[in-house]
Amino acid sequence: MQEYSEKIESAEALKVLEEVRIEVFGKKGVLAEQFAKMKSVPNEEKKEFAKNLNIQKAKLTALFDKKKTELIKHESILMMKEGAIDVTLFNGINEAGSLHPINETMNKMIDYFVSMNFSIEEGPLIEDDFHNFEALNLPDFHPARDMQDTFFFNDKKLLRTHTSPVQIRTMMSQKPPIRMICPGTVFRRDFDITHTPMFHQIEGLVVEEEGKVSFSHLKYILEDFLKFMFGDVEVRFRPSFFPFTEPSTEVDISCIFCKGEGCRVCSHTGWLEVLGAGMVDINVFKAVGYENVSGYAFGMGIERIAMLIHQIPDLRSMFDGDVRLLEQFR
Ligand code: PHE
């Protein structure tokens, strides 16, 4: 039994002590084994044998309990030391914050359009069907509603899937001429390397008396804007479709990484798609009660543009909250 006393004595951690406990006091432990031998001890020796064994057991138990108390104390002090925060310690961190790349890019966009005399409008994030779809020429069962994976609430409300409902709200609360942008948060049921359920868009809308604005105005301002954002790039307008504009266009810039040569980022096309635009569809004007007007609208994702400008490979890193990303923008 001396051997086991030593084992208990020399245990340096609760984990080790627990192993010794099983070995000594466990169901199949040394003590149990000794007690089992009682059966084969001759009757006249039984008393002495049991007495002896009980003394040994008591000694070991006392030793064990003492050791356990000791180790608990020791280990909790260690734990407290490790996790301790010394509030008096100056850790040398004295760093200024920085704008998030999304805000920085958004601010630059806003600067441009404000300089072009656009007003900044806002709308609710929780929208209704009328503003998000119906008034934008996306009636119920319109197949183009599939383009938007919507978060719906029970009461028919929804999280806006784009900033376009702000066009409707602005037209209904103001009179033309209108010259507005709306930067803001939008939501879609999407999550992968290029999509997050929450992201940002900036919307633009210009409405004038009929005939005063045309597609060439749209082309001019977008080209000028994209050169402001990206420097010396080529700008390309491709025919496209949006229910709320007619004609519609998607706008590309020449790839800023390979200068149009073709690379992985531009899928070897030499072009990067950056925004959608078009002349406001007559049905949108009807929905808001406008007559004898013409206008253009455009919309784009802010993350996409920020990622291109800063060469950020994974959209999700924008929302991880890792300060190491922000440190690069100080
Ligand atoms: N709302 C469109 C989208 O979310 C973008 C857009 C806005 C296109 C305005 C044309 C005009 O994809």
Side-chain angles (χ1 to χ4, degrees):
M1 288 295 152
Q2 182 60 25
E3 180 193 349
Y4 299 105
S5 306
E6 273 165 23
K7 272 197 178 174
I8 292 173
E9 279 294 3
S10 64
E12 272 175 0
L14 282 169
K15 247 172 75 187
V16 182
L17 189 67
E18 174 61 11
E19 278 163 23
V20 182
R21 186 193 66 78
I22 293 166
E23 191 181 351
V24 179
F25 304 98
K27 264 191 198 155
K28 291 177 184 158
V30 192
L31 284 171
E33 206 175 274
Q34 291 297 320
F35 278 111
K37 282 186 187 155
M38 281 278 275
K39 271 185 271 167
S40 49
V41 173
N43 270 349
E44 61 276 19
E45 285 170 33
K46 266 200 170 74
K47 201 179 160 195
E48 192 57 27
F49 184 87
K51 194 180 152 196
N52 236 323
L53 206 52
N54 277 322
I55 291 172
Q56 303 274 20
K57 185 181 172 184
K59 274 189 188 163
L60 285 169
T61 307
L63 210 57
F64 175 85
D65 288 345
K66 190 170 152 247
K67 190 71 191 178
K68 189 167 174 185
T69 317
E70 242 175 70
L71 283 177
I72 287 176
K73 200 172 153 196
H74 176 70
E75 289 192 10
S76 47
I77 287 173
L78 270 187
M79 249 159 68
M80 282 193 277
K81 274 191 182 156
E82 259 172 38
I85 296 170
D86 180 355
V87 290
T88 66
L89 191 71
F90 177 62
N91 64 1
I93 296 178
N94 187 12
E95 290 167 350
S98 62
L99 275 183
H100 193 280
I102 294 174
N103 288 311
E104 183 235 39
T105 306
M106 196 190 281
N107 289 351
K108 193 168 175 186
M109 293 170 165
I110 292 172
D111 281 351
Y112 175 84
F113 288 110
V114 166
S115 82
M116 287 297 191
N117 224 4
F118 282 69
S119 69
I120 301 172
E121 307 294 340
E122 279 180 325
L125 305 186
I126 298 176
E127 265 297 359
D128 51 42
D129 189 89
F130 174 77
H131 293 89
N132 198 81
F133 293 127
E134 191 82 34
L136 288 161
N137 198 28
L138 274 149
D140 232 355
F141 308 117
H142 191 295
R145 281 196 185 199
D146 283 350
M147 285 160 68
Q148 321 252 351
D149 296 316
T150 313
F151 286 108
F152 286 100
F153 295 99
N154 287 336
D155 56 357
K156 288 232 151 192
K157 290 254 166 43
L158 49 89
L159 289 176
R160 69 180 184 193
T161 57
H162 47 182
T163 42
S164 303
V166 184
Q167 288 188 27
I168 304 301
R169 290 188 178 272
T170 308
M171 285 192 279
M172 292 180 80
S173 63
Q174 298 178 19
K175 286 199 184 88
I178 285 170
R179 203 172 167 80
M180 59 146 271
I181 53 164
C182 165
T185 318
V186 300
F187 307 86
R188 290 184 201 174
R189 297 174 45 138
D190 239 341
F191 193 45
D192 59 40
I193 186 167
T194 52
H195 298 89
T196 47
M198 187 275 305
F199 60 105
H200 300 81
Q201 285 189 333
I202 191 162
E203 187 85 12
L205 172 71
V206 172
V207 183
E208 295 271 359
E209 225 173 83
E210 182 143 44
K212 276 203 172 166
V213 282
S214 68
F215 201 86
S216 22
H217 293 101
L218 171 66
K219 270 191 86 172
Y220 174 81
I221 197 149
L222 289 182
E223 199 165 328
D224 194 50
F225 164 72
L226 290 170
K227 291 199 158 137
F228 173 80
M229 293 302 292
F230 290 101
D232 191 21
V233 286
E234 275 185 64
V235 178
R236 175 173 88 166
F237 291 75
R238 270 184 296 110
S240 185
F241 173 79
F242 298 102
F244 28 91
T245 47
E246 180 59 35
S248 302
T249 175
E250 275 172 309
V251 185
D252 302 337
I253 54 169
S254 54
C255 181
I256 51 176
F257 301 103
C258 62
K259 307 269 173 272
E261 295 275 304
C263 68
R264 216 171 50 84
V265 184
C266 62
S267 308
H268 302 281
T269 60
W271 296 95
L272 299 164
E273 185 193 318
V274 285
L275 59 85
M279 302 307 291
V280 179
D281 194 288
I282 183 76
N283 288 336
V284 174
F285 285 142
K286 278 188 190 148
V288 297
Y290 277 20
E291 277 173 1
N292 307 322
V293 288
S294 41
Y296 64 77
F298 54 87
M300 74 200 95
I302 296 175
E303 279 82 354
R304 165 130 177 100
I305 306 233
M307 283 170 77
L308 289 173
I309 290 175
H310 296 296
Q311 306 192 18
I312 300 170
D314 187 337
L315 171 63
R316 290 170 294 195
S317 64
M318 295 273 205
F319 306 112
D320 283 346
D322 190 329
V323 288
R324 287 171 301 178
L325 179 86
L326 294 181
E327 275 167 7
Q328 299 175 61
F329 297 95
R330 224 185 282 127

